[in-house]
């Protein structure tokens, strides 16, 4: 009966008894979404992130299973309500990801619920450039000149050019007046330039 404010949201599981995850087995998770059907995952953790971009109820069923896929307890089921959107899920890049010899970084995201016609997905980058020890700040928004929004397997993709270095990213959906419509997604990642970090005379290939 809980109401989920934003997506993705964190689901935590408590276990009674001597059974331990991941030492003794796994958690089998089944999530049913209106319009998306049922998705099943197997985890070795007592929490996981669930996302739903539809304004609908989500049913989450969990069951303990051994590593031999033998149930050791009855399934537990809950239902949560999704607060009406809009909803925004940034699936790439992920925190800790390393891009090797890439200047164009793909931003992959999903959108849900009703969005105003003038909505924009905007991302701000801050990169510590290793080559000259400077900070490079940049931003990119859908609708900007030269920014192509591509649909890939039900998600959206735009390419952002960032310099080699350690980068942080903040991304969210805004309306035409610049008002924030969704929660802000934050990531940190690295863009590695092999030629700059391993020059020909370094002895490293």
């Amino acid at each position: 009966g809980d109401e989920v404010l934003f997506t993705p949201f964190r689901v935590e599981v408590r276990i009674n008894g001597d059974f331990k995850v991941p030492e003794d087995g796994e958690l089998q998770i089944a999530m049913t979404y209106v319009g998306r059907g049922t998705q099943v995952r197997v985890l070795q953790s007592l929490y996981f992130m669930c996302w739903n971009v539809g304004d609908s109820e989500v049913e989450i069923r969990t069951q303990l299973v051994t590593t031999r896929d033998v149930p050791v307890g009855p399934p537990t089921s809950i239902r949560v309500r999704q607060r009406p959107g809009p909803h925004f899920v940034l699936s790439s890049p992920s925190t800790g990801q390393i891009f090797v010899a890439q200047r164009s970084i793909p931003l992959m995201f999903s959108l849900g619920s009703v969005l105003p016609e003038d909505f924009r997905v905007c991302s701000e980058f801050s990169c510590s450039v290793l080559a000259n020890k400077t900070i490079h700040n940049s931003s990119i928004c859908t609708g900007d000149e030269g920014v192509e929004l591509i649909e890939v397997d039900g998600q959206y993709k735009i390419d952002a050019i960032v310099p080699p270095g350690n980068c942080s990213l903040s991304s969210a959906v805004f309306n035409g007046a610049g008002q924030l419509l969704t929660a802000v997604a934050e990531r940190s990642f690295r863009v590695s330039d092999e030629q700059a970090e391993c020059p020909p005379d370094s002895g490293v290939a």
Side-chain angles (χ1 to χ4, degrees):
D2 282 353
E3 183 177 53
V4 177
L5 303 182
F6 300 107
T7 192
F9 55 92
R10 180 182 173 112
V11 178
E12 296 184 355
V13 182
R14 285 202 305 262
I15 296 176
N16 295 321
D18 296 330
F19 191 90
K20 294 181 177 61
V21 175
E23 289 88 345
D24 301 327
E26 301 164 328
L27 279 170
Q28 186 168 287
I29 311 294
M31 292 165 290
T32 302
Y33 309 86
V34 174
R36 284 172 54 193
T38 298
Q39 299 175 351
V40 177
R41 287 192 279 171
V42 174
L43 306 174
Q44 290 191 325
S45 172
L46 290 179
Y47 74 89
F48 63 98
M49 301 302 293
C50 176
W51 66 270
N52 176 40
V53 295
D55 296 333
S56 60
E57 191 175 60
V58 181
E59 182 184 16
I60 303 172
R61 298 189 305 279
T62 64
Q63 186 170 29
L64 290 170
V65 296
T66 68
T67 53
R68 297 179 181 273
D69 201 29
V70 177
V72 294
T76 300
S77 177
I78 63 168
R79 291 178 179 269
V80 295
R81 297 186 303 273
Q82 180 83 48
R83 174 176 288 188
H87 303 297
F88 171 71
V89 177
L90 181 67
S91 57
S92 178
S94 58
T95 290
Q97 190 169 358
I98 299 177
F99 297 91
V100 179
Q102 287 183 244
R103 294 298 178 89
S104 179
I105 303 303
L107 301 179
M108 301 287 295
F109 54 89
S110 300
L111 299 170
S113 190
V114 179
L115 291 162
E117 291 185 0
D118 59 354
F119 84 91
R120 288 157 61 89
V121 176
C122 293
S123 301
E124 294 184 351
F125 297 88
S126 180
C127 296
S128 175
V129 182
L130 303 177
N132 53 19
K133 298 181 180 179
T134 60
I135 302 296
H136 182 271
N137 297 317
S138 62
S139 63
I140 186 173
C141 292
T142 57
D144 288 351
E145 185 176 355
V147 176
E148 184 178 7
L149 182 63
I150 304 172
E151 188 169 356
V152 180
D153 295 331
Q155 296 190 85
Y156 295 98
K157 172 181 174 288
I158 58 176
D159 291 318
I161 298 176
V162 297
N166 297 317
C167 300
S168 60
L169 160 68
S170 298
S171 188
V173 179
F174 300 82
N175 63 16
Q179 296 174 316
L180 187 65
L181 298 180
T182 65
V184 178
E186 297 181 338
R187 303 286 188 272
S188 58
F189 58 94
R190 183 179 180 192
V191 180
S192 177
D193 187 333
E194 294 171 308
Q195 294 183 351
E197 297 180 22
C198 304
D201 57 353
S202 67
V204 179

